[in-house]
Amino acid sequence: MSRIAFLCCSILCLAATVAAQRQMEHLNRGVVAINQGEGKVFVSWRWLASDPDDIAFNIYRAAEGIEPVKLNMTPLTTATCFTDTKATLDRKTSFFVRPVIGGHEQKDSGSSTFPSNAPVRSYLAVPLQLPQGYTANDASVGDLDGDGDYEIVLKSEQRPRDTASTGLTGQTILQGYKLDGALLWTINLGRNIREGAHYTPFMVYDLDGDGIAEIACKTADGTIDGKGKVIGDSNADWRDTNSTSRTFGRILKGPEYFTIFDGRTGAALATTNYVPPRGDLGGWGGKRWQWRQRQHG
């Protein structure tokens, strides 16, 4: 079976696979610590699907040059979060979690490290590397490189337009980010994918179960993958560029594709024709809509 056939079958059979046996992500504990100021640090972590029901947790703080200190009096059984109220962040500090199973403490299962004098925030800040003129839009998460941590797939836009609006748009990009802001790759969907909040839904999922998520979305002639490879005809321009046209800026002809991209590099793994096809564009709304088109040009 070809790779494209395998990946497309993975998508079509996904619902059946989930119903038969849930495919779990290979994630780590996902420890995150946020400085809330005044000596308070909020720490949270994952309860994994593979954990036993009676699991408990111990949480530790380790400052540079100081032995780790356990922060909870008894193992935590009712939450996967904890607030340290006595943290001093004048030096590099780490928070880590140890599961307790059957009364026995296990090895560390993830940590989060602060630099000295970490800023006070109520959120985890992820610095972006957007090209000039772009603004961030939708995002999704998945383990893009197999390290057990979530990465972010971010859609960003230049000059988006609503579905009902005419006019030319910019070119949508997808970017893969580590949680520290490291940029993994950039995919440019090109001029033949219309840009806007209601366009370009995309999926991030480990389709083949290898521990590394893929990205799937509609593409077109001129889409450039994360390795610089062009999909389809790089010179094609299927937009209506007539500013006096009722469909100015829309893309009503030309091929549409469905592409699966590699989470590590953004490289196009497989491309096929997009389903469903456009069909009869004049048929939406029935005969009355077509009559109004004839009356009003």
Side-chain angles (χ1 to χ4, degrees):
M1 180 184 292
S2 68
R3 188 165 194 174
I4 184 170
F6 173 78
L7 290 172
C8 289
C9 284
S10 297
I11 296 173
L12 293 174
C13 297
L14 183 58
T17 301
V18 171
Q21 182 178 359
R22 182 171 59 177
Q23 179 175 298
M24 294 187 295
E25 297 173 291
H26 305 288
L27 299 176
N28 59 28
R29 194 62 64 184
V31 181
V32 173
I34 298 175
N35 181 16
Q36 296 183 318
E38 300 179 350
K40 296 180 180 180
V41 175
F42 177 78
V43 185
S44 67
W45 59 92
R46 294 190 185 101
W47 185 318
L48 302 175
S50 56
D51 288 335
D53 291 341
D54 61 351
I55 193 172
F57 299 97
N58 289 328
I59 178 75
Y60 290 82
R61 180 197 333 117
E64 191 172 36
I66 300 176
E67 289 295 316
V69 177
K70 187 169 76 168
L71 303 178
N72 52 300
M73 297 295 294
T74 58
L76 305 174
T77 60
T78 60
T80 56
C81 59
F82 182 87
T83 299
D84 179 7
T85 60
K86 299 179 180 179
T88 302
L89 303 178
D90 58 350
R91 64 187 70 193
K92 186 177 180 180
T93 305
S94 297
F95 294 85
F96 58 92
V97 173
R98 288 178 178 167
V100 179
I101 300 176
H104 300 286
E105 187 178 80
Q106 311 296 305
K107 293 181 179 180
D108 300 350
S109 62
S111 64
S112 181
T113 302
F114 280 119
S116 60
N117 300 313
V120 176
R121 293 191 178 107
S122 59
Y123 55 88
L124 180 66
V126 180
L128 302 180
Q129 301 180 47
L130 297 178
Q132 186 174 2
Y134 277 87
T135 55
N137 194 262
D138 295 335
S140 186
V141 296
D143 184 0
L144 300 180
D145 55 11
D147 64 352
D149 285 322
Y150 270 147
E151 281 76 44
I152 297 172
V153 176
L154 176 68
K155 182 177 84 166
S156 298
E157 301 172 331
Q158 286 180 302
R159 299 181 303 279
R161 289 186 175 272
D162 188 80
T163 310
S165 302
T166 59
L168 297 172
T169 69
Q171 298 184 18
T172 300
I173 61 172
L174 299 174
Q175 291 182 309
Y177 283 98
K178 302 282 287 183
L179 292 184
D180 62 2
L183 179 62
L184 300 177
W185 43 259
T186 298
I187 297 167
N188 188 326
L189 296 180
R191 61 191 171 201
N192 292 309
I193 293 292
R194 188 165 164 83
E195 186 180 59
H198 303 294
Y199 301 102
T200 309
F202 61 96
M203 180 177 70
V204 181
Y205 193 82
D206 181 9
L207 297 170
D208 54 9
D210 67 349
I212 298 172
E214 288 79 39
I215 303 93
C217 68
K218 183 167 73 172
T219 56
D221 284 338
T223 294
I224 304 174
D225 75 3
K227 300 288 285 185
K229 181 181 177 180
V230 178
I231 294 172
D233 183 355
S234 61
N235 297 316
D237 187 348
W238 298 107
R239 301 171 299 171
D240 182 349
T241 57
N242 180 1
S243 61
T244 64
S245 170
R246 292 173 60 87
T247 59
F248 174 48
R250 299 187 184 281
I251 304 163
L252 304 179
K253 56 184 180 180
E256 295 180 302
Y257 308 120
F258 179 74
T259 301
I260 298 173
F261 298 93
D262 182 71
R264 292 162 294 192
T265 65
L269 295 176
T271 297
T272 189
N273 292 329
Y274 187 78
V275 177
R278 290 193 182 92
D280 182 7
L281 298 177
W284 188 87
K287 293 183 179 180
R288 179 175 175 82
W289 185 86
Q290 295 181 45
W291 175 83
R292 287 178 61 87
Q293 285 291 92
R294 289 195 297 271
Q295 293 297 310
H296 299 282

